[in-house]
Amino acid sequence: MQDVQDIVFKVYENVHLEEGIVVLKNFLVNAYMYRGTSVKEMSRMLNLPVPVVSAIKNEFKKNGIVDLSNGIGLTKNGEIYVKDVLGYKNADTDVLKDILENTGIDLSRFEKEIEELGAIYQNRPEVDVEVDQSKCTAETGMKRAVLMLKSGCLIGKKIACIGDDDLTSIAIVLLLKHIAVSDNLSGMADITVFDIDKRILSYIKKVSEEYKIDIECIQHDLCNPIDNQYKNKFDCITTDPPYTLNGLNLFLSRGISVLKKESNLSVFLSFAHKTPQIRFLMQQLFVNEGLILSNIYPKFNVYEGAQILGGVSDLMILTTTAQYTKELISGIFSDEIYTGKFKQTIRTYECKQCSEKYLVGMNQKITTIEQLKSQGCLKCPANKFNLIRKG
Amino acid sequence: MQDVQDIVFKVYENVHLEEGIVVLKNFLVNAYMYRGTSVKEMSRMLNLPVPVVSAIKNEFKKNGIVDLSNGIGLTKNGEIYVKDVLGYKNADTDVLKDILENTGIDLSRFEKEIEELGAIYQNRPEVDVEVDQSKCTAETGMKRAVLMLKSGCLIGKKIACIGDDDLTSIAIVLLLKHIAVSDNLSGMADITVFDIDKRILSYIKKVSEEYKIDIECIQHDLCNPIDNQYKNKFDCITTDPPYTLNGLNLFLSRGISVLKKESNLSVFLSFAHKTPQIRFLMQQLFVNEGLILSNIYPKFNVYEGAQILGGVSDLMILTTTAQYTKELISGIFSDEIYTGKFKQTIRTYECKQCSEKYLVGMNQKITTIEQLKSQGCLKCPANKFNLIRKG
């Protein structure tokens, strides 16, 4: 199949799309899934102008990949490429279409998988709050996997989970099983998990073996750079980092380091809904990393137990650009990243008696609660305070 | 009502929320609409942690605005404030709840308004392509108004339309009429339109008079700063600027200049779905203007006629921050802003004979089509080219 692979690169050289080679692959997948589709419909699916789609179509035709005898279809070579290289061989296209054509994410068709995932989640290792672990629900895990599928970031893709205490990797496996024609899931996606916690890695390893798919599990402290052998290799990353700016910066940086240097690759980022100031600083960080914020799904993730804001977080899809995307942290990182240890957290305390509020934290007039207690309230004689807000 | 107004500011001083005074107003509106609601439910509605909502509640209680005898409700003073100052006097809360509680935007309940709006749109002035005018559909106009309502940016708000060839102002009026108990729409929202085109302004003026609501129509070339009397006065802006980075920068800057200097105010921005590079530069611009990209609605807007990408554009909600939001352009702007005149547009031409592609535009090796024609194709003897992409 090296030949067709080469042709896709050659076509990319010719049409030189800013949207990246991934769009050419999507073109072929659409031609496979929706044989006979029109240029206009393809333009809508790819979100590209009609003349650009026309140019792509003609280039593929010239190279014997696309068959235009009846709308846009694939030649035999094109079909082999989509099946073998792009990973669609074992995918049931009817099941797939059913999911893709549904606007939004309809979980009702995944009841069986959610139940199965729920049982697997039940037995996962206890959370280690020291490293900001928390457990998302089985529904959330499945929603994430479906969103990745619908975004074209699952089948045939090389996926890196940058931290995976949520077992998103396993949710992906269950979704693949849902789509697969045969039991053999290998080749449908290539998943690698980087996590600091050996317990989680061995649990993922054990479960994945039961599903006869190989998930590569790397024990790794993300404060250290990821090994060179994994650099520039992945099509997509998913991460739910510690909810601090340092944590975000570090996990995104490590994620970028393993992503291919291509345009239009996706980062599935889960993060708490922060105050406007922090959200602004997050977006400044995205820009500094050269990432585009392409989609925002408010309150997408639901967690067990976590009580801040009722245990929900947002999911964002960030998109790479060929020109700008670059990790900000490339060496060893030695600052704090976890919320509990994070010295810059600003807490708001309220005087128990008169309700006067005080900001406490690094760079504030009062840096610790002990200091606040020893000075006492400035408005009344009390020196007892309630914590009313963190972060 | 100055008293209660003062109390809201006083409470804001005390709880000093980064989310801005607008959250306190929303708290009162929710207490009015959902009398008896719980702190937990209020926390969910405001997207704020429970302890913060508790603190707000207690402050309002202390100041005699909120009544806690049975869940969260309003005192008589609080109710007068919400009705008279926050503009809810003439709003039918059942109709309102029905719209707000519907996830997404269900246009079926606005069939009558869409028909009415369609007739008004029919008679609007012809588009002037020189200034990048285009006509969105009546459905799009209504969707925008409903989105503003659902985002808490319509009732009682001072709204500026920064350019309004789409007649969004009129769509808002029709939505207000849908919600209103009586025919008197004044006081429900305060709309000002800034546009360069006198024909559009006089049409808006004429239609608004038929609906007995006063829309202030200001003829203004946005290349000049907006008059000081309008600065720092508005709660919300809506704009569909020329689809160039200059156009975006200019319209956002003028919009920011008329917005109050508060946190958490919204900019409803419609803009074409651009290439990754341009989308990145747009987001860099948002960060430089100190705005947060809070929501993205892909393909939200549909336009009549416009054929690029099937005549659709995205809608984004940008949010102000108290610390960072600042217009980048404050003086007279003399660069090009319209797509047709915009020298930096990069066009892709294809050789008619061999399909070789050439990028043409400012900062490219070839800056004009004339230059390309005179040099001819580098791969074959032809010198005729098709334009296959703009932008």
Side-chain angles (χ1 to χ4, degrees), chain A residues 14 18-19 44 47-48 51 275-277 280 283 292-294 296 299 309 323-324 357 388-389, chain B residues 14 18-19 44 47-48 51 273 275-277 280 283 292-294 296 299 309 323-324 357 388-389:
Chain A
N14 276 354
E18 229 196 87
E19 283 79 3
R44 196 195 56 76
N47 215 356
L48 282 178
T275 63
Q277 184 182 0
F280 177 77
Q283 298 199 359
I292 304 166
L293 177 52
S294 291
I296 305 167
K299 304 182 188 181
L309 277 180
Q323 305 98 317
Y324 307 108
K357 313 283 181 300
I388 60 167
R389 185 168 199 183
Chain B
N14 276 353
E18 229 196 86
E19 283 78 4
R44 195 195 57 75
N47 215 356
L48 282 178
H273 185 82
T275 64
Q277 185 183 358
F280 176 78
Q283 298 200 359
I292 304 167
L293 177 52
S294 291
I296 305 166
K299 304 181 187 181
L309 278 180
Q323 305 98 318
Y324 307 109
K357 313 283 180 300
I388 61 167
R389 185 168 199 183

Side-chain angles (χ1 to χ4, degrees), chain A residues 120-138:
Chain A
I120 295 167
Y121 275 25
Q122 274 272 312
N123 296 319
R124 65 187 151 175
E126 281 305 305
V127 294
D128 180 353
V129 290
E130 285 283 303
V131 293
D132 282 5
Q133 288 180 353
S134 67
K135 293 174 165 184
C136 75
T137 63

Side-chain angles (χ1 to χ4, degrees), chain A residues 224-293:
Chain A
N224 301 313
I226 292 179
D227 197 275
N228 275 334
Q229 65 171 302
Y230 300 103
K231 295 247 169 98
N232 314 336
K233 293 280 194 300
F234 291 84
D235 297 299
C236 157
I237 69 167
T238 169
T239 187
D240 192 343
Y243 295 156
T244 63
L245 283 171
N246 274 355
L248 178 65
N249 191 354
L250 182 64
F251 278 50
L252 281 183
S253 289
R254 299 312 183 208
I256 290 170
S257 79
V258 300
L259 279 176
K260 290 174 184 167
K261 298 287 164 271
E262 282 182 18
S263 180
N264 235 345
L265 302 182
S266 296
V267 175
F268 292 80
L269 169 68
S270 297
F271 211 83
H273 185 81
K274 293 284 191 176
T275 63
Q277 184 182 0
I278 303 291
R279 278 189 289 144
F280 177 77
L281 295 175
M282 286 169 62
Q283 298 199 359
Q284 198 170 47
L285 184 64
F286 299 158
V287 165
N288 289 339
E289 306 245 22
L291 295 167
I292 304 166
L293 177 52

